Amino acid sequence: MAGQLVIDGEPGQFTAECHIRAYHHEGANVVIAGISEDRGRALDAELGDRALFVRLDVTDEDSWGAAIEATEERFGPLSVLVNNAGVQNPAAPVESTHRRVWDRILDTNLTGTFLGIKAAVPSLRRNGGGVIVNIASTSGMGGTAFYAPYVAGKWAVRGLTKTAALELGRDGIRVNAIHPGVVATPFITEPAVGSAVPISDFYTPEPFAIPRLGEPSDVTRALLFLSSDEASFATGSEFVIAEACFSVPPSSTRPPDGARRRTGAARHWTGPGPLLARHRTRATEAPSSYPSPAMPACK
Ligand SMILES: NC(=O)c1ccc[n+]([C@@H]2O[C@H](COP(=O)([O-])OP(=O)(O)OC[C@H]3O[C@@H](n4cnc5c(N)ncnc54)[C@H](O)[C@@H]3O)[C@@H](O)[C@H]2O)c1
C-alpha cells in the first residue's frame, strides 16, 4: 500500500491503534489524528518517520483543515481517509433522551464524518483519487432500543456514504462504509459518558451465527481491503463485519435499569454468558496487534 492515511479516533484505543499499525505495516504513511495527545505522540514516536500525530477534534471544521494541511505538508496529498471516531449515548428511551446528548452524539458520529469528507476531498483530488471509509455500525442497519442518537447517526452515515460515493466516483474517489457488529473494545466494555452501565453488561453473542465478540483486527482487515486496489470496483457499499447480530436486536431484550422499570421489557434477558465474560477480560488487555498469529499478513 502506498500513500497515507488519516485516521480519527484516539490513538492508543483499540480499533484505531490496530488500524494504524496495520496500515503502517503495509507500508503506508499514517497520520494519527485524535484528541489524546499523549497517546498519539507516543505511537507517532514508536512508528517513526512514516507516522505523524495531529490533534483532531472531528466536530471542529478548523481542526479538520489543520489536520489535512499538516498531512499534506509532511507526506503530500491524502490517499485514504478513515472516519473512525465515534461516541455512544447512555442507554435511554427516546422520550428520556436529553437534547444535549442527542446533539453530542450526532455532532461526533455524523457531523464529524461529514466534516472529515469535506476536508479530505480537495486533498484526495490533488492526489488524483483515493479512498474514504466511514466506520458506521450494524446499529445503522436496524433499530437498537435505547440507543436512538447512536442509531440515527449511524443510519445517516450510510446515506452520507452513498451520496458522497455518487458525487466522487468520477474523480476516482471511492467511499464505502463498514458496519461492525459488537467488537471487544472499551466502547462496549466501558460505560458511555453519563452512564454507569457498559453495553457488555447486557449483550451476549451466544445466540448469533458467530458466537463471539468481534476483534479490532476483524474490522482492520476489511479496512485494508477497501483501501486497496483489490476493491477498485466497490463504492457506496456497505460491508457488514458482524455475527449477524442485527437480525435480532439483542439489547432490546434488556433495557437499562431505569427504562426496564418503565417498559418491563427485561423478561427475555438471561444475563451475560461465559463467552462474554472471557471477551471482557480480553478487552482490558493489550490492544490487538497486527498481524496477529491468527491473522495472515496481507502481502
Ligand atoms: N466497539 C464496537 O462494538 C463498535 C461496533 C460498531 C461500530 N463501532 C464504531 O467503531 C468506531 C471506533 O470505535 P471503537 O470500538 O474503537 O471505540 P473507542 O471508544 O475505543 O474509539 C472511539 C474513538 O473515537 C474518539 N473520539 C471521540 N470523540 C472524538 C472527537 N470529537 N474527535 C476525535 N476523536 C474522537 C475517542 O477518543 C475514541 O478513541 C466508532 O465509530 C464506533 O461507533 C464500534
Side-chain angles (χ1 to χ4, degrees):
M1 179 184 287
Q4 60 282 340
L5 160 88
V6 168
I7 189 157
D8 55 331
E10 190 174 323
Q13 294 282 10
F14 295 151
T15 53
E17 182 164 338
C18 189
H19 303 334
I20 289 161
R21 288 184 185 282
Y23 281 95
H24 188 264
H25 178 87
E26 295 295 333
N29 300 316
V30 291
V31 178
I32 306 155
I35 49 182
S36 164
E37 296 214 11
D38 290 352
R39 288 170 164 166
R41 293 197 192 288
L43 189 57
D44 176 355
E46 184 195 324
L47 295 179
D49 286 349
R50 286 193 293 106
L52 170 70
F53 171 74
V54 294
R55 195 179 186 287
L56 171 69
D57 175 352
V58 298
T59 65
D60 178 353
E61 193 159 7
D62 292 341
S63 183
W64 269 111
I68 300 296
E69 202 180 310
T71 301
E72 289 214 354
E73 232 169 65
R74 174 73 170 269
F75 297 125
L78 187 66
S79 55
V80 179
L81 169 73
V82 181
N83 281 310
N84 175 70
V87 285
Q88 48 161 304
N89 56 280
V94 173
E95 80 267 21
S96 321
T97 297
H98 199 285
R99 170 69 191 265
R100 274 198 315 273
V101 171
W102 176 266
D103 287 345
R104 185 172 62 81
I105 303 305
L106 287 165
D107 262 5
T108 304
N109 296 1
L110 176 58
T111 307
T113 304
F114 156 69
L115 292 176
I117 296 172
K118 193 177 167 194
V121 163
S123 186
L124 291 164
R125 282 210 182 95
R126 283 192 283 279
N127 186 57
V131 174
I132 297 171
V133 184
N134 299 323
I135 306 298
S137 168
T138 48
S139 292
M141 310 196 86
T144 304
F146 314 110
Y147 286 90
Y150 186 77
V151 168
K154 294 297 187 179
W155 270 89
V157 167
R158 292 174 73 188
L160 178 60
T161 301
K162 288 180 184 302
T163 301
L166 282 170
E167 291 177 1
L168 297 170
R170 304 282 168 107
D171 294 331
I173 301 170
R174 293 186 292 106
V175 190
N176 290 292
I178 292 180
H179 299 274
V182 181
V183 180
T185 72
F187 198 79
I188 65 145
T189 57
E190 303 292 331
V193 173
S195 169
V197 190
I199 293 175
S200 52
D201 272 12
F202 53 95
Y203 172 83
T204 176
E206 280 149 0
F208 300 114
I210 302 174
R212 67 169 174 88
L213 294 191
E215 298 289 344
S217 57
D218 292 323
V219 182
T220 299
R221 280 181 288 220
L223 259 180
L224 289 177
F225 168 68
L226 289 172
S227 307
S228 75
D229 290 342
E230 303 294 315
S232 60
F233 200 46
T235 196
S237 301
E238 304 181 318
F239 288 76
V240 175
I241 308 294
E243 65 281 50
C245 70
F246 54 91
S247 307
V248 181
S251 58
S252 67
T253 61
R254 184 187 184 258
D257 287 342
R260 185 172 60 228
R261 276 194 297 280
R262 280 190 291 276
T263 64
R267 57 188 176 279
H268 301 303
W269 171 248
T270 55
L275 280 169
L276 181 59
R278 197 170 71 229
H279 278 282
R280 287 191 69 190
T281 310
R282 280 167 64 179
T284 60
E285 291 166 358
S288 297
S289 61
Y290 174 87
S292 69
M295 182 175 164
C298 308
K299 295 276 184 205

